[in-house]
């Protein structure tokens, strides 16, 4: 049967060789469904467990979306009255909003504070956020940190980021510029 009677997956979850949906969607700039990764996946899993839909977890939830997330999410969708392809275990904006209380969006990003701001050696949570992003991008050159105080380690790390982005010479001097700042996607603090 198409539509009304289609189960969330073919076969059973305990054998038969069939697997839950492998679909993935993007909602508010974040990926959900099999193979998605991130803190937002953990947040969905924890919300499912809190609402009583965690029986398929043997470990977790998160940060990687697995078959357990799909099966638990499908059970949650069915509890909302969804059926067929609407209960396939892959979030849609409406069910995700019902689970989390709001549809998540892209995280707010910090605007470029200006080159002069960095030359004043600021102390700010924004420096810590920048440093964490540099580490996540494989450009961290920190013995300690990152921390809130702008240091030579921040400058070395930012220079590594500039080189990773294809800049060289004086354009990879470690002083942030708008283009590389925007590409780094530092979260607002």
């Amino acid at each position: 049967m198409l539509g009304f009677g289609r189960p969330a997956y073919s076969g059973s979850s305990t054998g038969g060789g069939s697997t839950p949906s492998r679909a993935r969607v993007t909602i508010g700039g974040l990926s959900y469904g099999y193979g998605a990764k991130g803190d937002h996946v953990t947040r969905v899993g924890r919300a499912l467990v809190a609402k009583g839909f965690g029986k398929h977890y043997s470990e977790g939830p998160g940060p990687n979306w697995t078959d357990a997330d799909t099966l638990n999410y499908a059970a949650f969708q069915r509890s909302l009255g969804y059926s067929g392809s609407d209960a396939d275990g892959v979030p849609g904006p409406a069910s995700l909003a019902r689970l989390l209380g709001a549809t998540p969006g892209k995280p707010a990003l910090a605007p470029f504070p200006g080159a002069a701001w960095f030359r004043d050696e600021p102390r700010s949570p924004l420096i810590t956020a920048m440093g964490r992003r540099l580490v996540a991008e494989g450009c961290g050159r920190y013995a300690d940190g990152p921390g809130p105080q702008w240091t030579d380690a921040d400058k070395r790390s930012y220079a590594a980021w500039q080189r990773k982005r294809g800049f060289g010479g004086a354009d990879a001097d470690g002083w942030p510029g708008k283009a590389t700042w925007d590409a780094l996607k530092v979260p607002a603090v």
Side-chain angles (χ1 to χ4, degrees), residues 142-170:
Y142 299 96
D144 280 326
Q149 180 65 54
W150 175 265
T151 66
D152 285 338
D154 293 300
K155 190 174 175 186
R156 285 191 306 275
S157 298
Y158 208 90
W161 170 244
Q162 289 166 325
R163 287 189 299 276
K164 182 175 181 177
R165 299 294 299 170
F167 294 93

Side-chain angles (χ1 to χ4, degrees), residues 2 11 15 19 51 63 76 78 88 99 102-103 113 129 142 168 179 182-183 187:
L2 293 176
T19 58
K51 291 189 181 280
F76 172 68
R78 288 190 300 275
D88 63 358
L99 178 66
T103 302
Y142 299 96
D182 290 347

